[in-house]
Amino acid sequence: MAAQRSAPSAAPDLPTLGGRRSSYRERVADALRAALIAGELRPGEVYSAPTLAARFGVSATPVREAMLDLAKEGLVDTVPNKGFRVTEVSEKQLDEYTHIRSLIEIPTVVRLATTADPVSLEALRPAAREIVTAAAAGDLIAYVEADIRFHLGLLALAGNSHLVEVVGDLRKRSRLYGLDALVRAGRLEASAREHLELLDALADRDERAVHAVMTRHLGHVRGLWAAP
């Protein structure tokens, strides 16, 4: 199955990440970040705001504003009179990002097995199901958006907003170019179900199982999900 190219068409349909209310500009930026992470926007290529607007089914002004936000984050560079170029990320940088994430996310989530409120954990299950649904549909942008919402929401249960901010920034800089190949091979849905497996392990207060799922899951970032 070929990956579908999803595109937000109106403000109410755009995602809201991390449980916050976002402006339309922020929601366009979220969708563009997801496209960048999933490889819908490729490094080194120059994209104009009107071209992206047509591709995503929105007007050019919020796209231009959103891309300027991404430029401030170092995710794209402005190209005078042409548009925006997606910045290159080296394999070494991706390895470093993943290493830092593993140092932060694995122990933090394992601790949640004994500290998190069961109701708060269960509130993340709809996002986990969205990830599975998006994977089954081959909708990579929706997959990345729901994945970010799930993981940052999970980390937020630790009560450390700075930790969530650091991991959120590392996730923005990640590249998951292998997702498209997994969709074509029919393997992404199985990987997506790890989010439900993780919630089940947390609900069971099984620290060993949580550690195993998180270690395997983050391993995909430079494994299953990485290869172009």
Side-chain angles (χ1 to χ4, degrees):
M1 173 171 46
Q4 297 176 1
R5 301 298 187 244
S6 67
S9 57
D13 297 326
L14 289 171
T16 56
L17 303 186
R20 59 182 170 80
R21 288 183 63 84
S22 306
S23 69
Y24 185 66
R25 169 178 173 167
E26 289 173 325
R27 284 178 280 164
V28 171
D30 286 337
L32 288 169
R33 283 191 200 93
L36 188 150
I37 292 168
E40 297 279 345
L41 305 180
R42 302 298 293 189
E45 292 193 25
V46 176
Y47 299 90
S48 70
T51 298
L52 288 173
R55 180 171 173 175
F56 282 82
V58 296
S59 63
T61 297
V63 169
R64 187 176 293 106
E65 293 173 342
M67 292 299 278
L68 288 172
D69 290 339
L70 268 59
K72 292 177 183 176
E73 297 169 12
L75 304 182
V76 299
D77 296 317
T78 57
V79 181
N81 303 317
K82 291 186 178 180
F84 303 88
R85 180 185 291 112
V86 177
T87 56
E88 301 276 355
V89 182
S90 70
E91 294 294 312
K92 182 175 185 295
Q93 287 174 307
L94 290 173
D95 288 339
E96 290 172 349
Y97 298 157
T98 305
H99 178 61
I100 296 170
R101 284 183 55 191
S102 68
L103 293 175
I104 297 174
E105 292 187 62
I106 293 175
T108 299
V109 175
V110 169
R111 280 195 297 273
L112 290 176
T114 56
T115 62
D117 171 35
V119 174
S120 297
L121 288 172
E122 193 60 28
L124 292 169
R125 197 168 291 274
R129 292 194 183 106
E130 284 181 45
I131 298 169
V132 175
T133 299
D139 188 337
L140 299 185
I141 295 178
Y143 179 95
V144 170
E145 288 168 343
D147 183 70
I148 292 172
R149 187 165 65 252
F150 174 87
H151 283 284
L152 295 189
L154 182 61
L155 291 173
L157 299 182
N160 188 330
S161 60
H162 296 291
L163 182 151
V164 176
E165 183 178 350
V166 169
V167 174
D169 182 67
L170 291 170
R171 282 180 163 271
K172 291 175 188 176
R173 299 176 187 281
S174 297
R175 298 293 182 270
L176 305 176
Y177 296 146
L179 295 182
D180 191 43
L182 289 175
V183 169
R184 292 195 302 271
R187 298 172 60 195
L188 186 59
E189 186 176 355
S191 176
R193 291 189 179 280
E194 289 178 348
H195 299 83
L196 294 168
E197 182 184 354
L198 177 60
L199 284 180
D200 290 341
L202 286 165
D204 291 339
R205 303 299 192 187
D206 190 336
E207 294 179 75
R208 182 173 296 183
V210 171
H211 188 282
V213 176
M214 278 299 297
T215 301
R216 180 186 352 127
H217 192 66
L218 277 180
H220 297 332
V221 175
R222 299 299 293 134
L224 283 176
W225 302 338

